[in-house]
Amino acid sequence: QSNQYVTVSCNKLSTSSTTSQSNHMVENKIRSALLLRGGEMIRKKKLKKKPLQGLRDVFNQVLPANRVYLSISLFCTLIHVLGLPAQALFGLDKSQLWQIWRPITSVAFLGPPSMSMANSLFFLIRYGQVLENMNGTGAHVWFLFVETAILTLLGLVLGFPFLAQAMVAAIVYVSSRMNAMEKIPFQFGLVITAWQLPFCMMIIDCLSQQSAGAAWPHVLGIFAGHIYHFFTEIWPALGGTARLLPPDWLLAKLGGPPSSNVKGVSWKKREKETAGQAKKGGLFSKPKGRARKLTEK
């Protein structure tokens, strides 16, 4: 009887181990099938993230130069929310030019939390990302520095203490000139051409505030952005010398325009070399010798 009991218990153990192994194999097969069909990914996506983690992920996706600009803007708004005199601390003032932070904060303070501030931040990050992606972090930092200098001068002369909306308009203007004839969606289901975007934004602000004076920041921003675009893009294309270009040490430190998808090849560098060869007579030059005489005849 004892032998029979041992035999029966061994059979039960073997049966239970076989059943657990088969269940484990079936579970692995089901998991593999779900992974192939995307079920595992869907399950992972359903895991809820913490709100702060989601905000941190969104913030980290912003490129470095725009991230610093966004941080300064949010800091200025936080100072205002805390009840401190933000307008007295951050605005341009001719009598306090020695406070060197004022030119920076004057183009970063977008006012108290509101829908207008949210729209400005949206356009600031969206089109600032386009410029930084296209030109590189170093070139975008230089662009922000040049625009800050131009807008500070205009603000001191014309009496505008805050120019953050003008900076947003400048960023949108320069970004819209990259693909000027591209069709883009706008508010109310309208489709406009890219170069029209800064002017449409100006009209919307004038209508929402019911004042023609709301156009002034946009006018200053478009003017400042056009100065930069003219001396970096239009004037060199007309045969002049490019001005307002970022210094080489800044590009080496923070990064310049991205190279092409071919390793070791930069299309902008290749275009400059081609233009230099053309000026020296290396490309598209007149044929020499007998061929030139025949063509001249």
Side-chain angles (χ1 to χ4, degrees):
Q1 290 179 357
S2 62
N3 292 334
Q4 290 178 357
Y5 178 77
V6 171
T7 304
V8 170
S9 61
C10 290
N11 290 334
K12 288 182 178 180
L13 288 173
S14 61
T15 303
S16 62
S17 62
T18 304
T19 304
S20 62
Q21 289 179 359
S22 62
N23 290 337
H24 185 66
M25 291 175 62
V26 170
E27 185 180 353
N28 287 336
K29 289 182 179 180
I30 293 174
R31 185 174 296 176
S32 300
L34 287 175
L35 184 62
L36 288 174
R37 296 185 62 185
E40 189 74 5
M41 296 175 63
I42 294 173
R43 187 181 68 82
K44 290 181 180 179
K45 286 182 179 179
K46 288 183 179 179
L47 296 176
K48 293 184 178 180
K49 290 185 177 181
K50 296 180 180 179
L52 292 179
Q53 182 65 33
L55 290 175
R56 188 184 305 171
D57 293 340
V58 172
F59 183 76
N60 290 332
Q61 290 176 0
V62 181
L63 295 177
N66 286 291
R67 193 186 310 154
V68 173
Y69 195 104
L70 176 62
S71 301
I72 297 173
S73 180
L74 294 177
F75 172 77
C76 294
T77 301
L78 178 62
I79 294 297
H80 178 81
V81 170
L82 292 176
L84 298 175
Q87 295 184 353
L89 291 173
F90 299 146
L92 290 176
D93 192 346
K94 293 180 181 180
S95 63
Q96 296 177 336
L97 294 178
W98 56 273
Q99 297 178 351
I100 58 176
W101 66 83
R102 288 182 180 271
I104 299 174
T105 54
S106 67
V107 298
F109 181 50
L110 290 166
S114 61
M115 258 331 273
S116 176
M117 175 196 170
N119 286 330
S120 298
L121 282 178
F122 170 76
F123 286 108
L124 174 70
I125 298 303
R126 179 177 179 180
Y127 293 99
Q129 291 280 88
V130 172
L131 291 177
E132 190 168 355
N133 266 321
M134 183 69 67
N135 300 326
T137 300
H140 191 59
V141 169
W142 177 255
F143 163 75
L144 293 176
F145 172 77
V146 172
E147 292 302 306
T148 301
I150 297 173
L151 290 174
T152 299
L153 181 62
L154 292 175
L156 290 173
V157 172
L158 299 176
F160 288 95
F162 293 100
L163 297 157
Q165 190 61 50
M167 175 64 83
V168 175
I171 292 173
V172 172
Y173 177 83
V174 176
S175 176
S176 68
R177 302 304 299 180
M178 288 185 169
N179 297 301
M181 303 309 296
E182 180 183 1
K183 298 295 182 181
I184 58 174
F186 192 61
Q187 298 180 8
F188 313 115
L190 297 176
V191 178
I192 62 174
T193 310
W195 67 268
Q196 298 172 341
L197 178 60
F199 303 98
C200 291
M201 289 173 58
M202 178 175 64
I203 294 173
I204 292 296
D205 272 2
C206 290
L207 292 176
S208 62
Q209 298 184 25
Q210 297 182 359
S211 172
W216 270 109
H218 296 272
V219 172
L220 296 179
I222 291 172
F223 177 72
H226 185 71
I227 290 176
Y228 184 87
H229 178 71
F230 179 82
F231 285 106
T232 56
E233 299 292 339
I234 299 177
W235 185 244
L238 296 175
T241 303
R243 306 291 183 185
L244 301 179
L245 294 179
D248 294 336
W249 62 267
L250 185 61
L251 297 180
K253 186 71 175 177
L254 300 178
S259 301
S260 69
N261 56 352
V262 181
K263 187 176 181 180
V265 177
S266 174
W267 296 123
K268 291 195 174 184
K269 184 177 180 182
R270 180 66 60 84
E271 289 175 359
K272 290 180 180 178
E273 292 176 354
T274 303
Q277 291 178 2
K279 288 182 179 179
K280 294 178 181 178
L283 293 174
F284 311 112
S285 58
K286 290 184 179 180
K288 297 180 180 180
R290 185 177 180 183
R292 183 179 62 182
K293 293 180 180 178
L294 290 175
T295 54
E296 288 176 354
K297 290 180 180 180

